[in-house]
Amino acid sequence: MQPQVLIVDDEKSIVTLLKFNMEKAGFLTDVAYNGNEAVSKATETEYDLIILDLMLPGMDGMEVCKYLRANKIDTPILMLTAKDDEFDKVLGLELGADDYLTKPFSPKEVIARVKAILRRVNKDDKVVFQAIRIGDLIVYPERYEAEMYNKIITFTRKEFELLHYLAKHKGKVISRDQLLSGVWDYDFVGDTRIVDVHVSHLREKIEPDTKKPTYIKTIRGLGYKLEVPTS
């Protein structure tokens, strides 16, 4: 089946450009020109992915993303932003977006990001996972949850995929570029800040003290390592 993508942007020229290139690449497309229309369509139709602009009339992209995640709609979201602003990117990821691109962008890059997200989601859907224990932390891949001290911890999709990848390679140092390849499935060198943002979010959820992490260690000049705390 052809994957179906919802394109949400109030600039008709961008919608036309994305729609043409997405359909040329083999996707089915639907469109929305404001946040309210996007929410309505995303709650009524099961899309494979949503391309969501940040600056929208009515509900903006952040509000749309927050609403969908709060209502348990976990459709992958690629957020588009005209602002080269770290705050906007970080906030979008915090609210549950899977990835972001800054305008102006190349349609080829959008398609590459969309395919990467869908490859990752489809791959995970087909695999039967085993729970992984690291100290007091238990990772449950099939539930997209973890448990610590008998308390369930929930994550956004991408946060959990990063945690699971680190857990599968526990005790090993993984570079940021390796994480981009393994978690975001990029076939090119991307913005490694996206890795740092998600690691920060994971630490907030699993570390007793985020200033002195004992699970996810930063290995200077190399990357990150998930390990059993030594004390």
Side-chain angles (χ1 to χ4, degrees), residues 70-196:
N71 286 274
K72 309 301 181 183
I73 297 172
D74 63 352
T75 307
I77 294 174
L78 173 61
M79 187 167 281
L80 304 178
T81 173
K83 297 181 180 179
D84 190 15
D85 188 327
E86 186 69 15
F87 175 78
D88 289 319
K89 296 171 183 177
V90 171
L91 184 56
L93 297 173
E94 286 179 342
L95 294 177
D98 293 82
D99 202 352
Y100 65 82
L101 273 177
T102 302
K103 296 178 181 178
F105 52 77
S106 159
K108 287 185 178 180
E109 186 175 12
V110 174
I111 292 169
R113 295 287 183 100
V114 167
K115 288 182 176 179
I117 293 170
L118 293 180
R119 277 198 302 269
R120 176 61 52 188
V121 172
N122 292 335
K123 179 180 178 182
D124 286 349
D125 286 345
K126 296 175 182 177
V127 178
V128 176
F129 296 110
Q130 298 286 333
I132 304 172
R133 178 183 286 274
I134 306 98
D136 293 311
L137 176 69
I138 307 173
V139 180
Y140 297 106
E142 290 189 347
R143 289 160 33 189
Y144 272 64
E145 293 177 342
E147 180 181 336
M148 182 176 277
Y149 309 127
N150 296 316
K151 180 181 178 181
I152 295 297
I153 308 169
T154 59
F155 306 87
T156 66
R157 180 194 297 275
K158 197 55 64 178
E159 286 171 1
F160 187 84
E161 288 174 357
L162 175 59
L163 176 63
H164 184 221
Y165 190 89
L166 289 168
K168 289 190 298 183
H169 299 86
K170 61 182 178 181
K172 297 180 181 179
V173 179
I174 310 295
S175 72
R176 290 171 174 82
D177 285 333
Q178 284 177 297
L179 290 170
L180 277 175
S181 176
V183 178
W184 281 265
D185 206 12
Y186 290 175
D187 296 324
F188 50 89
V189 177
D191 185 349
T192 57
R193 288 176 297 176
I194 194 172
V195 176
D196 298 331

Side-chain angles (χ1 to χ4, degrees), residues 90 94 159 162 166 193-207 210 216 218 224:
V90 171
E94 286 179 342
E159 286 171 1
L162 175 59
L166 289 168
R193 288 176 297 176
I194 194 172
V195 176
D196 298 331
V197 169
H198 281 78
V199 167
S200 176
H201 295 167
L202 288 182
R203 283 174 170 162
E204 289 174 0
K205 293 183 177 183
I206 71 172
E207 296 285 2
T210 57
I216 303 177
T218 299
Y224 295 104

